[in-house]
């Protein structure tokens, strides 16, 4: 394998991992507040179809991403109202959201299958992209990839350093205690769910606008689900989520390369690789139960309401 | 000179659906006063505190703070006014450090983490409760967690500190340290509202007491001029006999024998048992004292069969001479074991099942099942018998376990186990959170079983209870068992040292036993 191919594999790894990174970071924030939203796949698909249609009509890529974020957030608000204010079961509601999102997106997008749009261009960052090897891999990407870098750093610091992060963590651990010291549990959870929805919308739009600039039904092909697994196996830590996301990206690319090189393995079998590899490696990482307990939002998935 | 009243409540009433929790309550606290709020469970103490701390609002009545009428809408407002509260079930976040926990509660006025850490260090050492601000709460003992809660109140300017049953989780020595902190605070003018149902503590610490009963003020007094008995009468009324002294007995032959039982901790939150050996004889009650989380739960799980030991040449647990190490709970029950676990809802009873179904759970061997079919009539009859005999307040055998109050469910569970005439009864915190009336009933039932020749092992954090009912006493600390002594030969101080892990203390050298069961 020559060196250029290797660099290109890593370049593509980042691109492939980006949507997973975005949606997983969003879901992590949501879960840290104690809400499990299984609707990631549905919100991603709605983001993907919205972004594609908007770019197809108006030819403005930025507008596509913004509207995808808004639609993702609207889906999340629907979820939030049901689970936070009507105290419905989070698992059932999330599943329903996914089914709803994939059905609705297929319906809306039926006329757009096979159409073409202007995709998101890459944007070489001055100076940084001149760094040999790394410059090309990391800083010759498109804007959304840079946005995902920024989100990663921002969320990492948010949980490590900020008071807001402290509040979010405390609500995910013990909402009753948080309520007693005067934090508004439902408001924080609502905001966290909305953030998760926006991130899922953007992640979906990245697939339909930048990664493969076209719309097909169910094009997220389980990334929303893998993101959910990723958050758990990354034990709710941003630094492990980014690792897992790129691991997934790498394995996806390897399977394409392997197919191209003509290995005599069934392509269906190879297609499992990214999913299997990501989960196996993260399970190995999360084997330390004590550490896990420190990061796990204890009240994850439990409805909370004011009792008086 | 006219002294400004720190807190005054006038005619406070609070109606919950189906129950009047507070009925026209008046209460006055002066600056620097330590005021006790006494009452049984369900007397309305918690509701009243929640009103003062702004967690809930009264339907009627007025609250004055420093003689200004106030309407406290939420805890944040209460804290701004200078009211702090230490909850019975701590409102701490385990995965955060001490300073992070305190920063969360203080909001913006907490300042940055560094200067807050410094403030915590200063305040905590000034009041004799040293804390390291950067430690994780998960690694702290119960006593230390309580300090965090108190320090959290003290780093602000505080004028009224409310403590909800603060001593229930502490060793006697820790209680003494807490009291000196509270006296220090009161000497500086901070008023303290002290909620408890341990009467000797109230007489030792408090200047005034208000006693609640069925949501109303049933009396006020100066505790130092009263006896524990006279206060208790105000709490429970005249119907219930308050304190009974039971005779101590020797016991017969050994029924339960534990020989060098050791276990491994599977994770940091578990305690490993270290070479535990003890005997419980037929017809005696052995009490195990200790602060929660020192291996009590692990010991009981090993005895009940929830955790089984590996088969080995040297079995470590015997029932009546028969090794039971590898037997599951069901088989152990067939050998005559009864078990009253610590958590009633979950391990003691299934919350969503009716009382008669819950009876079936452990009593199915007693003629309730025939040819694999449930004998519904017999099952209901047994449940009704338990309800009647143990005075369980429930609508009927069809009531769901979760609909009962803690004390009533406990009476039911104890009754259920008792009805099987167990040869060995394991009881964990039998009267935890149970009011005095029910406490007496449960104690009497235990003594009765003892006198019929049952071997009883009681694990409790309540030393008064252990002194009252157990014939021999020991303590557990960090998975190790202290020496076992006859209850009337061991002083409270010795047990305190045992609970703190110092097993070298020998009570023979000490002065006369001073403890008086309240």
């Amino acid at each position: 394998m020559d060196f250029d191919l290797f660099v290109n594999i890593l370049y593509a790894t980042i691109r492939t991992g980006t949507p997973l990174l975005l949606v997983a970071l969003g879901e992590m924030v949501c879960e840290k507040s104690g809400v499990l939203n299984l609707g990631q796949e549905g919100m991603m698909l709605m983001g993907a179809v919205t972004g594609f249609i908007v770019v197809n009509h108006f030819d403005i890529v930025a507008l596509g991403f913004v509207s995808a974020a808004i639609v993702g957030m609207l889906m999340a608000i629907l979820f939030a109202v049901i689970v936070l204010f009507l105290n419905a079961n989070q698992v059932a509601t999330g599943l329903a959201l996914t089914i709803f999102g994939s059905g609705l997106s297929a319906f809306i997008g039926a006329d757009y299958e096979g159409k073409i749009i202007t995709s998101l261009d890459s944007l070489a960052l001055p100076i940084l992209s001149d760094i040999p090897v790394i410059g090309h891999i990391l800083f010759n990407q498109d804007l959304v990839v840079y946005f995902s870098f920024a989100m990663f750093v921002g969320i990492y610091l948010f949980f490590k350093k900020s008071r807001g992060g402290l509040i979010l963590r405390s609500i995910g651990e013990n909402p009753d205690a948080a309520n007693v010291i005067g934090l508004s549990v439902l408001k924080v959870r609502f905001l966290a769910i909305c953030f998760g929805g926006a991130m899922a919308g953007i992640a979906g739009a990245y697939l339909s606008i930048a990664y493969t600039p076209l719309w097909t039904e169910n094009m997220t092909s389980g990334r929303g689900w893998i993101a959910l697994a990723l958050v758990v196996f990354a034990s709710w830590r941003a630094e492990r989520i980014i690792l897992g996301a790129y691991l997934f990206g790498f394995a996806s690319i390897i399977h394409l390369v392997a197919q191209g090189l003509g290995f005599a393995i069934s392509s269906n079998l190879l297609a499992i690789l990214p999913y299997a590899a990501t989960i196996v490696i993260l399970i190995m990482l999360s084997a330390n139960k004590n550490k896990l307990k420190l990061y796990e939002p204890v009240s994850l998935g439990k409805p909370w309401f004011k009792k008086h | 000179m006219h002294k400004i009243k720190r807190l005054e409540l006038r005619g406070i009433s609070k109606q919950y659906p189906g129950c009047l929790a507070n009925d026209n309550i008046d209460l006055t606290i002066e600056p620097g006063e330590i005021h006790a709020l006494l009452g049984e469970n369900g007397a309305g103490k918690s509701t009243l505190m929640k009103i003062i701390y702004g967690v809930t609002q009264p339907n009627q009545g007025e609250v004055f703070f420093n003689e200004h009428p106030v309407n406290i809408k939420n805890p944040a407002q209460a804290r701004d006014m200078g009211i702090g509260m230490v909850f019975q079930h701590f409102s701490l976040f385990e995965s955060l450090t001490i300073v992070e926990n305190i920063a969360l509660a203080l909001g913006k006025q907490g300042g940055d983490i560094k200067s807050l850490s410094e403030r915590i260090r200063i305040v905590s050492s000034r009041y004799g409760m040293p804390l390291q601000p950067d430690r994780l709460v998960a690694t702290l003992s119960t006593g230390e967690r309580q300090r965090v809660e108190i320090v959290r109140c003290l780093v602000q300017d505080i004028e009224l500190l409310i403590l909800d049953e603060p001593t229930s989780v502490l060793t006697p020595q820790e209680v003494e340290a807490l009291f000196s902190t509270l006296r220090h605070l009161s000497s500086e003018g901070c008023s303290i509202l002290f909620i408890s149902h341990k009467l000797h503590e109230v007489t030792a610490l408090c200047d005034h007491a208000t006693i609640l009963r069925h949501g109303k003020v049933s009396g006020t007094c100066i505790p130092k001029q009263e006896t524990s008995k006279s206060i208790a009468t105000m709490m429970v009324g005249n119907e219930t006999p308050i304190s009974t002294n039971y005779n101590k007995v020797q016991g017969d032959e050994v029924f339960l024998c534990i020989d060098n039982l050791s276990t491994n901790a599977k994770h940091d939150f578990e305690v490993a048992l270290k070479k535990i050996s003890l005997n419980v004889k037929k017809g005696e009650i052995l009490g195990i004292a200790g602060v929660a989380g020192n291996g009590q739960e692990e010991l009981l799980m090993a005895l009940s069969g929830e955790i089984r030991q590996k088969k080995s040449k040297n079995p470590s647990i015997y029932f009546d001479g028969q090794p039971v190490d590898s037997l599951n709970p069901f088989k152990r029950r067939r050998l005559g074991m009864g078990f009253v676990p610590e958590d009633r809802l979950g391990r003691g009873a299934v919350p969503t099942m009716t009382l008669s179904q819950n009876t079936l759970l452990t009593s199915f061997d007693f003629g309730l099942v025939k040819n694999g079919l449930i004998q519904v009539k017999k099952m209901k009859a047994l449940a009704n018998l338990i309800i009647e005999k143990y005075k369980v307040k429930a609508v009927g055998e069809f009531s769901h376990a979760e609909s009962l109050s803690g004390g009533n469910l406990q009476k039911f569970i104890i009754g259920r186990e008792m009805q099987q005439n167990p040869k060995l009864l394991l009881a964990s915190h039998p009267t935890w959170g149970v009011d005095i009336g029910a406490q007496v009933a449960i104690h009497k039932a235990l003594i009765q079983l003892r006198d019929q020749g049952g071997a009883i092992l009681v694990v409790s954090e309540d030393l008064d209870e252990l002194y009252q009912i157990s014939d021999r006493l020991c303590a557990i600390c960090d998975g190790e068992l202290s020496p076992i002594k006859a209850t009337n030969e061991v002083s409270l101080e010795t047990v305190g040292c045992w609970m703190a892990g110092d097993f070298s203390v020998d009570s023979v050298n000490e002065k006369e036993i001073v403890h008086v069961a309240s």
Side-chain angles (χ1 to χ4, degrees):
Chain A
M1 195 189 292
D2 64 62
F3 189 67
D4 276 352
L5 177 64
F6 184 65
V7 170
N8 279 327
I9 286 176
L10 290 185
Y11 179 79
T13 292
I14 301 285
R15 274 175 69 81
T16 315
T18 295
L20 195 60
L21 175 62
L22 287 169
V23 65
L25 283 175
E27 172 62 8
M28 182 187 102
V29 170
C30 184
E31 286 188 18
K32 273 285 196 186
S33 80
V35 180
L36 178 68
N37 184 353
L38 294 184
Q40 303 302 324
E41 187 86 354
M43 298 191 298
M44 277 181 88
L45 282 165
M46 284 304 290
V49 76
T50 309
F52 188 86
I53 293 173
V54 168
V55 176
N56 182 270
H57 279 280
F58 302 101
D59 217 20
I60 308 169
V61 172
L63 193 63
F65 279 103
V66 171
S67 44
I70 291 171
V71 167
M73 207 187 287
L74 286 175
M75 293 279 287
I77 289 173
L78 179 67
F79 173 81
V81 168
I82 295 171
V83 300
L84 293 185
F85 304 116
L86 305 176
N87 284 317
N89 180 299
Q90 295 179 5
V91 171
T93 313
L95 283 173
L97 193 71
T98 282
I99 296 167
F100 174 65
S102 51
L104 187 63
S105 62
F107 175 71
I108 301 173
D111 292 341
Y112 292 87
E113 296 227 11
K115 291 203 175 167
I116 306 161
I117 53 166
T118 18
S119 76
L120 183 62
D121 289 327
S122 60
L123 177 83
L125 291 182
I127 307 171
L128 286 175
S129 61
D130 295 335
I131 305 170
V133 189
I134 295 175
H136 177 67
I137 296 170
L138 291 180
F139 303 113
N140 201 8
Q141 301 275 9
D142 55 54
L143 266 175
V144 177
V145 173
Y146 303 141
F147 170 73
S148 73
F149 293 167
M151 286 321 276
F152 163 71
V153 175
I155 287 171
Y156 180 82
L157 292 178
F158 176 72
F159 282 114
K160 271 266 145 69
K161 300 269 177 198
S162 82
R163 179 172 160 76
L166 211 55
I167 291 176
L168 196 76
R169 276 163 63 197
S170 67
I171 284 174
E173 187 188 315
N174 190 344
D176 285 320
N179 177 52
V180 165
I181 60 173
L183 304 175
S184 52
V185 176
L186 293 182
K187 193 173 110 193
V188 171
R189 286 191 167 177
F190 184 81
L191 292 175
I193 295 172
C194 288
F195 176 79
M199 291 289 272
I202 294 171
Y206 188 76
L207 287 172
S208 68
I209 301 175
Y211 190 65
T212 52
L214 51 83
W215 163 253
T216 53
E217 201 179 313
N218 274 328
M219 67 179 301
T220 49
S221 55
R223 281 184 180 79
W225 294 112
I226 208 79
L228 280 158
L230 185 57
V231 174
V232 177
F233 293 130
S235 42
W236 298 272
R237 276 189 275 180
E239 65 272 25
R240 290 198 174 177
I241 284 184
I242 199 168
L243 183 79
Y246 291 149
L247 200 69
F248 177 86
F250 182 72
S252 308
I253 297 302
I254 288 296
H255 116 246
L256 292 177
V257 172
Q259 271 184 39
L261 295 176
F263 284 122
I265 308 172
S266 148
S267 68
N268 289 331
L269 220 54
L270 277 172
I272 302 172
L273 184 68
Y275 299 90
T278 311
I279 287 182
V280 167
I281 291 181
L282 285 166
I283 285 175
M284 284 169 8
L285 278 178
S286 63
N288 185 340
K289 289 235 171 63
N290 287 329
K291 273 266 170 69
L292 195 64
K293 244 189 157 152
L294 210 54
Y295 291 94
E296 183 184 7
V298 179
S299 58
L300 181 63
K302 293 177 194 148
W304 182 89
F305 45 91
K306 283 211 166 188
K307 280 158 193 103
H308 41 81
Chain B
M1 205 190 88
H2 174 69
K3 224 173 163 188
I4 288 181
K5 290 177 193 135
R6 181 56 45 80
L7 177 79
E8 189 179 4
L9 305 180
R10 284 188 206 154
I12 295 287
S13 292
K14 175 73 184 178
Q15 173 83 48
Y16 281 119
C19 115
L20 186 60
N22 284 168
D23 185 3
N24 202 15
I25 288 181
D26 297 321
L27 179 83
T28 309
I29 304 177
E30 310 276 345
E33 175 185 332
I34 304 182
H35 194 110
L37 189 60
L38 284 161
E40 294 192 66
N41 287 326
K45 290 172 298 178
S46 313
T47 308
L48 195 64
M49 280 175 330
K50 281 183 186 163
I51 288 170
I52 300 171
Y53 194 55
V55 181
T56 185
Q57 277 75 43
N59 300 103
Q60 260 174 32
E62 294 165 296
V63 181
F64 295 85
F65 195 69
N66 290 329
E67 309 213 328
H68 295 292
V70 286
N71 178 14
I72 306 171
K73 291 192 193 67
N74 53 51
Q77 191 193 342
R79 279 199 307 275
D80 286 343
M81 289 163 48
I83 302 176
M85 176 148 173
V86 175
F87 290 88
Q88 187 182 5
H89 303 287
F90 301 143
S91 57
L92 294 175
F93 306 100
E94 297 207 352
S95 67
L96 307 184
T97 63
I98 293 175
V99 60
E100 283 174 332
N101 264 287
I102 292 177
L104 263 178
L106 291 187
K108 296 221 165 55
Q109 33 173 314
D112 65 296
I113 295 285
K114 245 189 196 157
S115 62
L116 185 61
S117 298
E118 200 45 47
R119 249 163 83 200
I120 291 169
R121 225 173 251 128
I122 293 169
V123 169
S124 64
S125 59
R126 190 168 144 226
Y127 291 99
M129 306 180 283
L131 287 173
Q132 293 157 279
D134 51 356
R135 271 183 70 187
L136 271 180
V137 169
T139 66
L140 301 181
S141 72
T142 329
E144 287 172 313
R145 286 178 198 212
Q146 187 179 56
R147 287 186 197 165
V148 178
E149 289 250 343
I150 297 174
V151 168
R152 178 158 83 179
C153 300
L154 298 187
V155 290
Q156 293 170 290
D157 292 327
I158 187 162
E159 298 188 334
L160 173 64
L161 180 64
I162 310 171
L163 298 123
D164 187 2
E165 303 203 5
T167 58
S168 56
V169 292
L170 303 180
T171 64
Q173 282 83 352
E174 284 175 315
V175 168
E176 218 19 77
L178 172 70
F179 282 6
S180 69
T181 301
L182 295 181
R183 290 194 188 103
H184 184 174
L185 268 170
S186 101
S187 71
E188 291 177 351
C190 176
S191 307
I192 291 163
L193 185 57
F194 185 86
I195 288 95
S196 179
H197 55 224
K198 294 189 184 166
L199 302 172
H200 61 273
E201 290 176 0
V202 170
T203 42
L205 179 75
C206 300
D207 307 316
H208 277 93
T210 298
I211 294 123
L212 296 186
R213 187 154 172 257
H214 300 323
K216 287 182 191 154
V217 175
S218 67
T220 56
C221 65
I222 295 171
K224 293 196 172 82
Q225 301 171 357
E226 303 278 335
T227 62
S228 291
K229 198 151 190 170
S230 63
I231 303 177
T233 312
M234 280 192 256
M235 275 169 74
V236 297
N238 289 322
E239 311 99 66
T240 346
I242 296 128
S243 160
T244 323
N245 283 320
Y246 305 106
N247 61 322
K248 305 288 178 203
V249 296
Q250 287 281 329
D252 208 3
E253 54 198 288
V254 171
F255 184 87
L256 168 70
C257 169
I258 307 177
D259 181 23
N260 251 327
L261 172 68
S262 295
T263 60
N264 298 319
K266 284 187 198 66
H267 49 77
D268 279 2
F269 300 86
E270 223 176 73
V271 177
L273 300 175
K274 295 168 196 115
K275 295 194 175 166
I276 288 192
S277 297
L278 63 81
N279 289 326
V280 186
K281 295 177 201 153
K282 292 175 186 167
E284 75 157 356
I285 299 179
L286 175 69
I288 300 183
V291 177
N294 271 297
Q296 292 97 324
E297 195 147 339
E298 288 78 2
L299 176 63
L300 284 170
M301 282 193 167
L303 291 180
S304 72
E306 283 169 88
I307 298 173
R308 287 185 281 285
Q309 312 305 312
K310 283 203 188 87
K311 261 197 175 159
S312 75
K313 276 179 214 146
N314 305 312
S316 50
I317 305 172
Y318 300 84
F319 286 1
D320 216 1
Q322 181 186 346
V324 295
D325 286 43
S326 58
L327 300 186
N328 63 25
F330 169 58
K331 286 182 182 150
R332 293 191 195 192
R333 277 182 178 276
R334 286 212 159 157
L335 290 174
M337 180 191 80
F339 181 36
V340 181
E342 186 179 349
D343 36 351
R344 291 152 204 169
L345 287 172
R347 278 167 67 208
V350 182
T352 52
M353 285 190 180
T354 65
L355 291 181
S356 50
Q357 287 168 330
N358 271 299
T359 310
L360 187 68
L361 278 180
T362 66
S363 315
F364 59 90
D365 251 2
F366 297 80
L368 299 188
V369 179
K370 203 171 160 191
N371 303 328
L373 295 175
I374 298 168
Q375 305 295 99
V376 178
K377 263 190 195 160
K378 280 188 182 169
M379 173 181 85
K380 287 185 177 171
L382 180 57
N384 278 325
L385 177 75
I386 295 169
I387 291 170
E388 205 176 313
K389 194 165 165 189
Y390 295 90
K391 299 194 179 68
V392 180
K393 273 182 206 153
V395 188
E397 47 80 22
F398 48 83
S399 304
H400 287 172
E402 62 188 350
S403 69
L404 268 64
S405 76
N408 276 306
L409 185 58
Q410 185 72 355
K411 281 196 272 186
F412 180 80
I413 294 171
I414 291 202
R416 180 185 70 188
E417 300 300 307
M418 220 65 106
Q419 230 23 57
Q420 301 168 11
N421 280 321
K423 293 179 188 149
L424 168 69
L425 182 71
L426 310 170
S428 179
H429 303 90
T431 59
W432 186 77
V434 170
D435 60 50
I436 294 186
Q439 244 175 50
V440 173
I442 290 172
H443 287 166
K444 280 200 168 145
L446 289 173
I447 295 288
Q448 198 190 350
L449 179 69
R450 176 195 79 179
D451 292 344
Q452 289 166 6
I456 303 177
L457 180 73
V458 174
V459 170
S460 178
E461 284 178 65
D462 185 344
L463 287 176
D464 294 341
E465 167 171 276
L466 290 175
Y467 268 97
Q468 229 174 49
I469 61 170
S470 54
D471 303 307
R472 288 189 300 147
L473 193 58
C474 60
I476 190 168
C477 178
D478 197 25
E480 273 186 274
L481 203 67
S482 75
I484 305 175
K485 292 246 158 101
T487 306
N488 43 24
E489 283 171 16
V490 55
S491 73
L492 189 63
E493 287 71 26
T494 308
V495 178
C497 291
W498 286 350
M499 285 164 77
D502 179 5
F503 299 154
S504 62
V505 186
D506 194 343
S507 55
V508 178
N509 304 329
E510 285 184 42
K511 52 186 186 295
E512 209 185 325
I513 296 146
V514 286
H515 180 76
V516 184
S518 54

